[in-house]
């Protein structure tokens, strides 16, 4: 029967086992150190080591003759290390060039993107400004034409103004619904016809209108009653006579006809002319100009009272030639001439259109 180990033996065995374990750990440490060094042995370290090896080998080579075996072995090692060194250096140079190329390409790409972005922003800004200017130009053109229309109406050219307004409405129909100019003209006239009230306007002969104007001028009193005045006013205004006509206007009512429902539409040329028409501030309306001309004609045809005595004549003559009176006369004459010129010019434009 085998005896159990004594305490001393067991102690020796434990110490031996512990020593083996310690040696194994040291080997493990050496292995890890070698692995770490191998990992750290990058290309740069290799270049340094090879350079040192070649330098040391060249020093050693100088100790031997070229034809000796030692010289051949050392030279062989120098050549092998040189080939390996140049290979690593070439690899490093390629890698460095690749990095430089990549960096240059990245910089060029970033520059190109920045330039393209700046170009797009500049183009977008230019387009925004161009669109804004175009919108402003169109709005200004539309506003100025609307202002011209109002000025024409104020100057008494209502028919021409209506023709331009109708043309603008026609153009909107063409733009919105794609009508041809003929279709848009037809649709606009149909629309305007629906807007008209039956019996709103009536056309009378020139003779009946003149007769009505004379009645209105005479006014109420004598043989002219309120009903006669009302019917005379209706004729002048182009409205239908309500009820039975008085004797002097029976033929006028009988021969009256419904006003022409035609819708005047200006041409593009007429619109262009109207946009260039010059409105003078304070220009009298057409009706006022006519009345002014009539009043001037009546004044010229009316005999003036003769001087009552010689004493008052010098005073009146002096008053007629006073600076204030002369200035007023000059202004009145110039105003009449301006009205006449503007009125005739505008009528010629639309007659020749």
């Amino acid at each position: 029967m085998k005896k159990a180990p004594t305490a001393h033996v067991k102690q020796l065995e434990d110490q031996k086992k512990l020593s083996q374990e310690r040696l194994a750990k040291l080997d493990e440490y050496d292995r890890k150190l070698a692995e770490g060094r191998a990992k750290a042995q990058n290309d740069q370290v290799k270049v340094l080591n090879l350079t040192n090896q070649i330098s040391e080998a060249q020093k050693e080579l100088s100790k031997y003759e070229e034809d000796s075996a030692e010289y051949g072995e050392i030279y062989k090692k120098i050549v092998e290390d040189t080939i390996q060194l140049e290979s690593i250096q070439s690899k490093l140079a390629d890698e460095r060039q690749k990095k430089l190329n990549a960096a240059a390409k990245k910089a060029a790409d970033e520059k190109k993107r920045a330039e393209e972005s700046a170009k797009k922003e500049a183009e977008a800004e230019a387009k925004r400004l161009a669109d804004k200017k175009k919108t402003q130009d169109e709005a200004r053109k539309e506003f100025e034409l609307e202002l011209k229309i109002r000025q024409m109406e104020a100057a008494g050219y209502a028919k021409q103004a209506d023709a331009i307004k109708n043309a603008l409405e026609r153009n909107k129909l063409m733009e919105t619904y794609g009508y041809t100019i003929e279709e848009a003209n037809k649709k606009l006239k149909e629309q305007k016809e629906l807007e008209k009230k039956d019996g709103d306007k009536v056309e009378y002969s020139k003779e009946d209108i003149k007769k009505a104007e004379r009645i209105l001028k005479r006014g109420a009193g004598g043989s002219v009653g309120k009903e006669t005045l009302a019917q005379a006013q209706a004729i002048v205004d182009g409205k239908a006579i309500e009820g039975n006509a008085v004797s002097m206007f029976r033929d006028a009512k009988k021969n009256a006809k419904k006003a022409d429902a035609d819708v005047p539409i200006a041409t593009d040329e007429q619109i262009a002319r109207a946009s260039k028409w010059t409105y003078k501030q304070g220009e009298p309306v057409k009706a006022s100009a006519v009345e002014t001309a009539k009043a001037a004609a009546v004044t010229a045809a009316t005999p003036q009272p003769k001087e009552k005595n010689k004493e008052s004549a010098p005073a009146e003559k002096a008053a007629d030639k006073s600076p204030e009176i002369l200035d007023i006369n000059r202004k009145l004459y110039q105003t009449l001439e301006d009205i006449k010129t503007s009125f005739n010019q505008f009528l010629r434009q639309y007659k020749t259109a």
Side-chain angles (χ1 to χ4, degrees):
M1 185 175 180
K2 188 177 181 181
K3 295 181 180 180
T6 62
H8 178 67
V9 173
K10 186 176 185 306
Q11 184 180 5
L12 291 175
E13 290 178 350
D14 291 342
Q15 288 179 350
K16 183 180 179 180
K17 183 179 180 181
L18 180 60
S19 177
Q20 291 175 343
E21 291 178 352
R22 288 174 178 172
L23 290 174
K25 286 183 178 179
L26 291 176
D27 291 339
E28 179 67 17
Y29 293 153
D30 290 338
R31 186 182 63 78
K32 289 183 178 180
L33 178 60
E35 290 178 354
R37 286 176 176 175
K39 290 179 180 178
Q41 190 80 357
N42 54 28
D43 291 334
Q44 293 292 349
V45 174
K46 289 180 182 179
V47 168
L48 180 61
N49 290 339
L50 288 170
T51 302
N52 291 334
Q53 289 177 15
I54 293 171
S55 177
E56 292 297 327
Q58 287 175 340
K59 290 179 183 179
E60 186 69 18
L61 186 66
S62 63
K63 297 178 182 180
Y64 299 97
E65 297 293 334
E66 290 185 2
D67 58 350
S68 66
E70 292 82 2
Y71 188 96
E73 290 297 327
I74 296 172
Y75 188 78
K76 177 184 177 183
K77 186 69 171 64
I78 291 174
V79 170
E80 290 175 348
D81 289 346
T82 301
I83 292 173
Q84 187 178 0
L85 175 63
E86 291 178 354
S87 176
I88 294 173
Q89 287 176 334
S90 177
K91 177 184 175 183
L92 290 174
D94 290 343
E95 291 178 351
R96 184 166 54 252
Q97 189 61 45
K98 287 180 180 179
K99 290 180 180 179
L100 291 175
N101 293 342
K105 185 177 183 302
K106 182 179 179 181
D109 291 342
E110 290 178 352
K111 180 181 179 182
K112 183 178 180 181
R113 284 194 296 269
E115 289 175 350
E116 289 178 350
S117 178
K119 182 180 178 181
K120 288 180 180 179
E121 290 179 0
E123 290 175 348
E125 180 65 12
K127 185 177 183 301
R128 185 186 69 81
L129 293 176
D131 291 343
K132 180 180 180 181
K133 185 177 184 304
K134 181 180 179 182
T135 301
Q136 288 177 337
D137 290 344
E138 291 176 351
R140 185 187 299 113
K141 184 178 179 181
E142 182 177 352
F143 166 75
E144 290 178 353
L145 184 55
E146 290 177 355
L147 180 61
K148 291 290 185 182
I149 292 173
R150 293 178 61 185
Q151 291 172 343
M152 289 169 64
E153 292 174 336
Y157 307 118
K159 185 176 181 180
Q160 291 86 342
D162 286 340
I164 295 174
K165 288 191 288 186
N166 290 336
L168 296 179
E169 287 189 48
R170 185 271 314 281
N171 292 346
K172 286 184 178 180
L173 290 178
M174 294 171 63
E175 181 180 353
T176 304
Y177 303 107
Y179 288 131
T180 63
I181 187 168
E182 293 79 8
E183 291 171 339
N185 283 339
K186 181 179 179 182
K187 295 299 180 183
L188 179 64
K189 290 180 179 181
E190 291 175 357
Q191 181 181 350
K192 293 298 181 180
E193 183 62 28
L194 291 174
E195 293 174 359
K196 283 181 173 289
K197 295 180 180 179
D198 292 337
D200 269 359
K201 290 293 181 180
V202 176
E203 289 184 352
Y204 296 94
S205 66
K206 293 181 179 179
E207 292 75 13
D208 290 330
I209 294 174
K210 289 181 180 179
K211 182 190 297 185
E213 288 176 345
R214 289 196 296 270
I215 295 299
L216 290 175
K217 188 174 181 180
R218 286 167 56 187
S223 60
V224 180
K226 292 183 179 180
E227 187 176 4
T228 302
L229 285 175
Q231 292 185 8
Q233 188 65 55
I235 293 173
V236 172
D237 294 339
K239 295 182 179 180
I241 297 175
E242 301 293 339
N244 296 325
V246 297
S247 58
M248 70 174 61
F249 294 140
R250 284 175 187 169
D251 291 338
K253 182 176 181 179
K254 180 180 178 181
N255 298 326
K257 60 180 180 179
K258 187 176 180 181
D260 187 5
D262 186 32
V263 178
I265 302 177
T267 63
D268 291 340
E269 184 180 357
Q270 289 172 331
I271 295 176
R273 289 179 181 176
S275 65
K276 297 178 181 178
W277 177 64
T278 302
Y279 172 77
K280 296 181 180 179
Q281 187 66 26
E283 182 178 5
V285 298
K286 184 178 177 182
S288 298
V290 172
E291 292 301 324
T292 303
K294 286 183 178 180
V298 171
T299 302
T302 302
Q304 299 299 318
K306 296 181 179 180
E307 299 177 0
K308 293 182 179 180
N309 53 59
K310 293 183 179 180
E311 294 179 359
S312 62
E316 291 176 359
K317 188 174 183 180
D320 290 342
K321 291 185 179 180
S322 65
E324 293 80 3
I325 297 299
L326 292 175
D327 185 56
I328 292 173
N329 289 338
R330 281 195 299 270
K331 289 182 178 180
L332 177 60
Y333 176 78
Q334 186 60 46
T335 300
L336 290 173
E337 287 298 316
D338 291 343
I339 292 170
K340 180 180 177 181
T341 301
S342 178
F343 178 70
N344 290 337
Q345 179 182 3
F346 199 79
L347 284 182
R348 282 197 301 271
Q349 290 179 348
Y350 278 89
K351 287 180 179 180
T352 57

